[in-house]
Amino acid sequence: MQFEMEMDPLDKKLNDVFDGKVVRKDLLHRIKKGTNVPTFVLEFLLARYCASNEPAEIQAGMEAVLATLDENYVRPDEANSAQSRVAVKGKHKFIDKVHVRYVEKDKRHWAALENFSSQKVAIGEKFYRDIDRLLEGGIWAEVVIAHNEVDEDNYAFYVEDLRPIQLSRFDFDAYREGRAKMTRNEWLDVILRSVGLEPGKLDHRTKLHFIARLAPLVEANFNFVELGPRGTGKSYFFSEFSPYSTLISGGQATKATLFYNNARGKIGLVGFWDTVAFDEVGGIKIKDPDTIQIMKDYMANGRFSRGVEIIANASMAFVGNIDQSIDQIVRSSEHDLFLPLPPQFDLAVMDRFACYLPGWEMPKTSSAYLTDRFGLITDYLAEAFHYQLKHNNRYEEVSKRAKLGASVEGRDEKGIKKTLCAFLKILHPDGPPSDEEFFEYVEYAIECRRRVKEQMNKRKPDDEFALIDLSYFDTSGKEIVVYCPETKGVVQTLEPERPSLAPHRGAQPPARQEPGRANIDANAPGKNDGVDTQPSLAEKHFTISYGDVGHTYDTIIGPYLQGAKEIIIEDPYIRAPHQLANFVRFCESAVKAPTVRKINLRSSYDEKTDLATVNERMDELKQSLLEIDVILTVDLDSKIHDREIRTDTGWIIKIGRGLDFYQKPDGWFSIGSNDFSLRRCLETKVDIFRAS
């Protein structure tokens, strides 16, 4: 092998500034071929044995690395011989990925080594107690497996020692000081070389794309999506680059795995990893609708409720393949660039994406783009990202410098600023960038968010996402609108056709509708060929007599919710099972009004109230409403006595009995048991009037 290399200026500077924390990436490429060991594991060994640029020392170090892999790394087809080696020698050290799982039948924990191919290795409690991630996805480690000589035991091997493969100490101040000795462009090239790429073979825009791929590893609760052709290395950074990232490949994504396991009472993957990435996102099977509901809540604010309130920092990254021509998609009236996403990913999920990276602009994975220069040890850079995700918040700095245009709405602003935070953490951990650099990142972040909004606007049959001309103001006060290169000037995407909201009688209804909301029916009462003939709403005062039928929340309350965004309902009796069911029906009526976005319930309880059940069912209802972007808040106060419903449009609806004005049906198989328009009522008075 030829190990001589003439260092370029950046190599020399990097070795001077980060002495002992760099490695020649060509050595990694030589070892990487023919093995499925992650990059950070191989560089862990290279840093141990090849921390030099002297050819003789590198030669000896490479031989040591290869010998270590030969001796300690087990290939899947060598599992049987590896087990035999332990049985003969008594114990042996391996480099392998170790998982720990609790087996209910055995009432104990077992370790499983991926390539050693044993699912029943005994492990002491100290290991999985001190290293949580053993239980959630597993870790790569140097692990000593010993043979159990006790015939009465039902296992042959046990873990004698285990050491995770990652740095034991990290000094962020030294990292910042090292960055401060380099220019922005030098540091950009260092980052790219550290992940194995040669920056001299990439244009500047492509360099920024690769930086964006790293964003979920450095910014907490960052929702990222990249869709593009096969073979561009979309999942590499999440499976190979960082020991703090886990990649879910196919299979089912369940709420127990991802978020919270009620049976074990333990948080899922989002509690143990910095980034949870979904490979081949279009093929992910999500059978339980609760999973999507919780995912929406978590993606929105980094928290969710499963009986208990859970807060976590993990970012979510979704990568997948687009097989169609990008030009054909953007010029199509029927399809959009979210085409590969699974059907469960509705507009509410898409709206939570901060950044859509255009994967079709990424180069195909090829040795031509690999660097043979020095870069930071992968694990060292991963530790820097991990530290900043946990301890470094740049949001306030970004908010002070970035002035965004009027079309930038709430989630747009949050997504843009989080992308900016990620770029500052990656490229400027030592301090603020120049104005020129900062506004370059602003423009890139806006483009990535605009790509999300354009596709939602194309899907939505109304104008909810129509403000796609996202912009910012530069230092001179000039407003600059940002465009996506693939759609600039493409009418089919920028000005999509809208289905008629009020077609003539006999016409076909709109082909698409917002998930969770009813289509507008042109033939409904009060409509005539698109002309609104509904009379203006008036105050009402009437009495529902005992035994009356035909009264529902839709007929009493529904007309007065039109145009309302927020509803406040005060009712002291929302606690018994049938009263909770009544409240669900009220919410069903409320969300038929397309403008409603928030429902606030104030109710009460007494000493007989089962608060745990009430809270559990309210949490379930909250999650269900979040799926259609309606927020429910619940305030339980034992002193509430009034019964009234108020809207932010000024209407007050007072029902003497509150929501509980129905008689109990004669039986659950009698008329009126399910259709409340046929359910007999109790006597109550109804007053509907404008607030003074």
Side-chain angles (χ1 to χ4, degrees):
M1 290 185 180
Q2 181 58 254
F3 294 109
E4 292 185 8
M5 183 193 77
E6 183 178 349
M7 292 196 291
D8 68 7
L10 187 57
D11 287 329
K12 293 175 183 177
K13 193 169 188 178
L14 187 60
N15 273 274
D16 289 342
V17 174
F18 289 96
D19 183 36
K21 300 178 179 67
V22 298
V23 68
R24 273 177 53 176
K25 297 296 175 172
D26 59 328
L27 304 181
L28 169 68
H29 303 324
R30 295 185 191 190
I31 298 176
K32 182 69 176 171
K33 294 176 181 178
T35 177
N36 62 350
V37 181
T39 296
F40 66 84
V41 175
L42 293 176
E43 290 197 3
F44 174 83
L45 297 174
L46 287 170
R48 179 186 290 175
Y49 297 112
C50 298
S52 170
N53 195 37
E54 292 297 324
E57 293 181 19
I58 291 176
Q59 175 71 46
M62 286 288 285
E63 291 175 359
V65 170
L66 293 171
T68 300
L69 288 173
D70 186 59
E71 179 70 13
N72 302 125
Y73 175 70
V74 184
R75 289 167 179 78
D77 59 348
E78 299 172 342
N80 192 51
S81 62
Q83 293 179 12
S84 176
R85 188 184 310 173
V86 174
V88 172
K89 291 176 55 180
K91 63 181 177 181
H92 190 77
K93 181 188 287 186
F94 294 101
I95 295 173
D96 206 343
K97 190 170 186 180
V98 185
H99 309 257
V100 174
R101 71 197 193 287
Y102 179 74
V103 179
E104 187 177 6
K105 181 180 69 175
D106 299 338
K107 296 183 179 179
R108 65 171 300 169
H109 289 79
W110 295 107
L113 275 68
E114 219 165 68
N115 294 340
F116 186 71
S117 196
S118 177
Q119 302 295 312
K120 209 170 184 180
V121 179
I123 185 168
E125 181 184 352
K126 66 175 182 176
F127 295 113
Y128 56 81
R129 183 188 63 223
D130 296 341
I131 308 170
D132 286 331
R133 286 183 297 152
L134 282 169
L135 291 162
E136 301 293 337
I139 61 169
W140 281 88
E142 291 182 311
V143 55
V144 176
I145 301 296
H147 188 255
N148 178 30
E149 303 290 348
V150 181
D151 292 336
E152 289 77 15
D153 290 341
N154 64 341
Y155 59 90
F157 307 106
Y158 64 93
V159 174
E160 183 177 276
D161 193 23
L162 185 147
R163 185 161 78 99
I165 291 179
Q166 57 192 90
L167 292 179
S168 57
R169 296 181 60 191
F170 174 75
D171 185 346
F172 183 63
D173 289 335
Y175 176 79
R176 293 176 70 241
E177 290 169 7
R179 162 61 183 96
K181 295 175 182 178
M182 298 188 181
T183 67
R184 191 289 299 269
N185 287 341
E186 285 177 334
W187 186 249
L188 175 58
D189 289 353
V190 165
I191 296 293
L192 293 172
R193 284 184 176 179
S194 298
V195 297
L197 298 165
E198 179 48 50
K201 299 177 180 178
L202 303 170
D203 61 42
H204 187 69
R205 178 172 170 82
T206 306
K207 290 181 182 182
L208 294 183
H209 289 338
F210 279 109
I211 297 301
R213 274 188 177 173
L214 295 168
L217 300 170
V218 74
E219 177 67 15
N221 304 122
F222 185 82
N223 304 314
F224 170 89
V225 62
E226 179 184 353
L227 303 172
R230 289 174 171 79
T232 57
K234 292 186 289 295
S235 59
Y236 167 80
F237 288 173
F238 309 117
S239 62
E240 297 272 341
F241 177 75
S242 173
Y244 297 102
S245 173
T246 187
L247 183 70
I248 299 175
S249 300
Q252 292 188 22
T254 67
K255 59 178 179 285
T257 301
L258 290 174
F259 299 109
Y260 193 77
N261 189 316
N262 281 325
R264 287 174 49 207
K266 295 204 70 174
I267 194 171
L269 295 175
V270 296
F272 295 94
W273 302 92
D274 289 355
T275 307
V276 178
F278 299 80
D279 195 12
E280 305 291 354
V281 63
I284 287 180
K285 300 179 179 68
I286 305 175
K287 292 186 176 179
D288 186 352
D290 282 355
T291 304
I292 287 291
Q293 295 171 19
I294 299 170
M295 181 182 289
K296 290 173 186 175
D297 197 13
Y298 179 75
M299 289 173 70
N301 51 34
R303 66 180 65 199
F304 60 92
S305 178
R306 292 289 292 155
V308 292
E309 188 82 4
I310 304 294
I311 301 175
N313 291 320
S315 295
M316 287 195 159
F318 304 88
V319 296
N321 300 320
I322 290 182
D323 296 319
Q324 297 80 10
S325 160
I326 300 302
D327 189 59
Q328 287 181 335
I329 292 176
V330 299
R331 295 180 186 281
S332 165
S333 299
E334 298 299 322
H335 302 295
D336 56 66
L337 292 173
F338 281 138
L339 185 63
L341 295 183
Q344 296 92 340
F345 279 33
D346 59 13
L347 289 169
V349 173
M350 297 170 189
D351 198 19
R352 286 155 169 78
F353 292 140
C355 172
Y356 184 156
L357 193 150
W360 50 89
E361 294 187 20
M362 303 298 277
K364 290 276 189 179
T365 302
S366 165
S367 57
Y369 293 101
L370 300 180
T371 188
D372 57 0
R373 297 290 176 176
F374 279 91
L376 293 170
I377 296 169
T378 301
D379 199 30
Y380 179 71
L381 190 58
E383 286 293 337
F385 288 177
H386 173 68
Y387 178 90
Q388 292 184 90
L389 184 139
K390 295 289 186 182
H391 305 293
N392 195 354
N393 191 332
R394 307 290 290 270
Y395 201 86
E396 186 64 26
E397 174 187 345
V398 163
S399 295
K400 288 179 179 178
R401 292 187 70 176
K403 185 178 180 183
L404 304 175
S407 293
V408 177
E409 299 173 296
R411 286 201 173 124
D412 303 327
E413 180 180 2
K414 182 178 179 181
I416 291 165
K417 289 182 176 179
K418 286 184 79 68
T419 303
L420 280 170
C421 288
F423 269 72
L424 296 195
K425 289 179 181 181
I426 296 169
L427 297 176
H428 301 273
D430 57 318
S434 67
D435 283 343
E436 182 183 358
E437 292 163 345
F438 182 75
F439 286 112
E440 178 185 30
Y441 308 146
V442 170
E443 192 153 322
Y444 184 87
I446 291 176
E447 178 198 318
C448 289
R449 175 58 191 180
R450 174 170 179 150
R451 187 169 288 110
V452 173
K453 203 169 186 184
E454 282 184 353
Q455 310 317 308
M456 294 191 299
N457 183 48
K458 199 171 182 181
R459 286 197 174 197
K460 195 75 162 58
D462 60 26
D463 292 332
E464 182 178 351
F465 302 114
L467 297 178
I468 59 174
D469 282 339
L470 308 187
S471 61
Y472 69 96
F473 293 89
D474 63 14
T475 51
S476 67
K478 179 183 177 183
E479 183 175 11
I480 299 173
V481 177
V482 179
Y483 297 90
C484 299
E486 70 277 2
T487 58
K488 189 172 183 180
V490 179
V491 176
Q492 292 88 341
T493 293
L494 301 183
E495 300 176 18
E497 293 181 6
R498 303 291 189 203
S500 174
L501 295 183
H504 292 284
R505 297 184 186 276
Q508 292 295 317
R512 294 181 296 193
Q513 66 181 75
E514 180 184 2
R517 300 286 179 140
N519 277 321
I520 298 175
D521 183 0
N523 296 321
K527 298 288 181 183
N528 183 16
D529 292 338
V531 180
D532 189 352
T533 59
Q534 182 177 354
S536 58
L537 296 174
E539 294 188 358
K540 287 185 180 181
H541 305 274
F542 61 94
T543 298
I544 298 174
S545 301
Y546 185 89
D548 279 357
V549 295
H551 299 287
T552 66
Y553 305 138
D554 281 344
T555 60
I556 298 172
I557 303 166
Y560 296 88
L561 300 183
Q562 300 307 311
K565 294 181 180 178
E566 185 172 353
I567 305 168
I568 299 172
I569 174 169
E570 294 186 355
D571 191 324
Y573 296 103
I574 308 290
R575 46 178 105 150
H578 76 280
Q579 294 165 346
L580 292 169
N582 286 340
F583 183 62
V584 172
R585 291 187 180 91
F586 169 81
C587 291
E588 289 172 343
S589 294
V591 300
K592 291 175 185 176
T595 54
V596 170
R597 286 292 176 264
K598 191 169 184 181
I599 300 172
N600 304 303
L601 171 66
R602 297 188 66 214
S603 190
S604 66
Y605 63 92
D606 57 23
E607 64 279 358
K608 297 180 182 178
T609 304
D610 183 353
L611 278 177
T613 298
V614 172
N615 287 330
E616 181 180 354
R617 292 177 180 176
M618 285 299 180
D619 286 341
E620 184 177 347
L621 180 56
K622 286 179 183 179
Q623 295 291 346
S624 178
L625 287 167
L626 279 172
E627 183 178 3
I628 53 175
D629 273 352
V630 177
I631 297 171
L632 169 64
T633 63
V634 179
D635 178 20
L636 295 180
D637 187 334
S638 59
K639 299 178 182 178
I640 290 177
H641 301 290
D642 291 339
R643 298 177 176 89
E644 70 177 29
I645 298 162
R646 300 193 299 275
T647 72
D648 60 353
T649 52
W651 287 105
I652 298 176
I653 299 105
K654 284 182 173 286
I655 304 175
R657 291 181 175 270
L659 297 182
D660 194 8
F661 60 82
Y662 291 106
Q663 296 184 31
K664 184 177 179 180
D666 296 333
W668 295 113
F669 293 92
S670 60
I671 294 297
S673 59
N674 292 301
D675 186 343
F676 272 49
S677 67
L678 302 174
R679 176 81 67 92
R680 289 192 291 270
C681 298
L682 298 167
E683 183 173 344
T684 189
K685 188 175 181 180
V686 179
D687 294 290
I688 304 173
F689 54 92
R690 285 274 191 187
S692 58

